[in-house]
DNA sequence: GTTCAATGATAAGCAAGGCTAACTATCCTT
DNA sequence: AAGGATAGTTAGCCTTGCTTATCATTGAAC
């Protein structure tokens, strides 16, 4: 089974929320990503079936090693891309939004080239 | 009614084929975009319902003013983005592929910043 | 201790985009 | 004229991802 594009977003967001708040619940993910509760519920089911996350008895969400690795990768990409865009004059808000879409699209080669450029 | 992302690709490709060959038929679009004939058939139906294209009695495809305007915009973006990527060291092949995905996603602001950078 | 709000899960369904299989129509060739 | 290839269409279905409506659980507050 593949990792879906949306799954990458969910994992990244779980990682970010964990950094921010120390814990993660479905409702936080829903609010943060602007999606409905059932969307998150379903996504979490998929993610735990494929062992990217676990949910404990109190419904707290935890990233597995596998999940954490993907989450970190996406997060790094997102931050780097946003930083690069800002460095060439894009406003912070737009930079983060565009980086979020670009992170799924661009190849490793283009990402590396942009990263090199930033220096 | 909105213009779908896929519609933008179809319009752009019709424009490119017109430039290359002087005329456009469904089968050319299918080959060029690597999609099936029914996919093109359905897309053309949608595009003509919304007056982005017309099809004459011989099944030749023509862009309307509305369609041409979008097609040109996407084409310009695609070419500019590819050029920019190549200028920072991305290989031609990857540059065109990544540009094709990026052209749908990035904001006008980011596009302008990248364009300015290229000079 | 009952009521109410918040959280999570289930069911059903929609939208965008694609596919294969099978049909039609047309044109070229023998 | 009969076949066969090419082009386009129709029908039916799959996948990703989302939605609303509804139900269950739980915890807090009166």
């Amino acid at each position: 089974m593949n990792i879906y594009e949306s799954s990458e977003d969910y994992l990244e967001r779980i990682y970010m929320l964990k950094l921010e708040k120390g814990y993660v619940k479905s409702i936080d993910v829903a609010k943060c990503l602007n999606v409905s509760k059932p969307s998150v519920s379903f996504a979490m089911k998929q993610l735990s079936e494929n062992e990217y996350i676990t949910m404990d008895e109190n419904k707290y969400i935890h990233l597995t090693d596998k999940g954490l690795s993907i989450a970190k990768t996406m997060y790094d990409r997102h931050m780097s891309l946003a930083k690069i865009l800002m460095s060439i004059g894009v406003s912070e808000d737009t930079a983060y939004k565009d980086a979020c879409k670009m992170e799924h699209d661009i190849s490793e080669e283009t990402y590396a080239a942009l990263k090199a450029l930033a220096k």
Side-chain angles (χ1 to χ4, degrees), chain A:
Chain A
M1 190 243 178
N2 288 331
I3 176 102
Y4 300 133
E5 185 173 316
S6 69
S7 295
E8 292 176 346
D9 279 332
Y10 282 113
L11 290 175
E12 184 189 343
R13 207 50 69 115
I14 289 166
Y15 179 70
M16 287 169 68
L17 285 166
K18 178 84 174 185
L19 286 181
E20 274 173 39
K21 312 180 47 172
Y23 67 90
V24 189
K25 300 213 80 177
S26 287
I27 191 72
D28 305 316
V29 179
K31 280 178 189 157
C32 194
L33 278 177
N34 266 315
V35 294
S36 65
K37 289 188 295 166
S39 295
V40 178
S41 183
F42 182 72
M44 295 309 107
K45 207 169 103 188
Q46 280 190 316
L47 287 175
S48 60
E49 268 166 16
N50 293 284
E51 297 176 336
Y52 293 108
I53 63 164
T54 57
M55 275 180 91
D56 64 30
E57 68 275 16
N58 296 315
K59 305 286 182 183
Y60 287 98
I61 299 165
H62 308 278
L63 291 165
T64 63
D65 287 350
K66 211 168 120 185
L68 182 63
S69 147
I70 291 174
K72 270 188 179 164
T73 302
M74 298 314 292
Y75 182 73
D76 285 350
R77 267 196 170 215
H78 196 153
M79 293 303 124
S80 298
L81 285 173
K83 230 179 270 177
I84 290 162
L85 292 183
M86 285 187 273
S87 81
I88 63 169
V90 178
S91 70
E92 186 174 338
D93 208 52
T94 307
Y96 280 109
K97 272 185 209 152
D98 284 6
C100 184
K101 294 177 223 148
M102 285 170 68
E103 71 186 1
H104 299 289
D105 285 343
I106 67 175
S107 61
E108 199 51 51
E109 187 185 342
T110 294
Y111 178 57
L114 282 168
K115 225 169 160 178
L117 177 75
K119 286 176 196 164

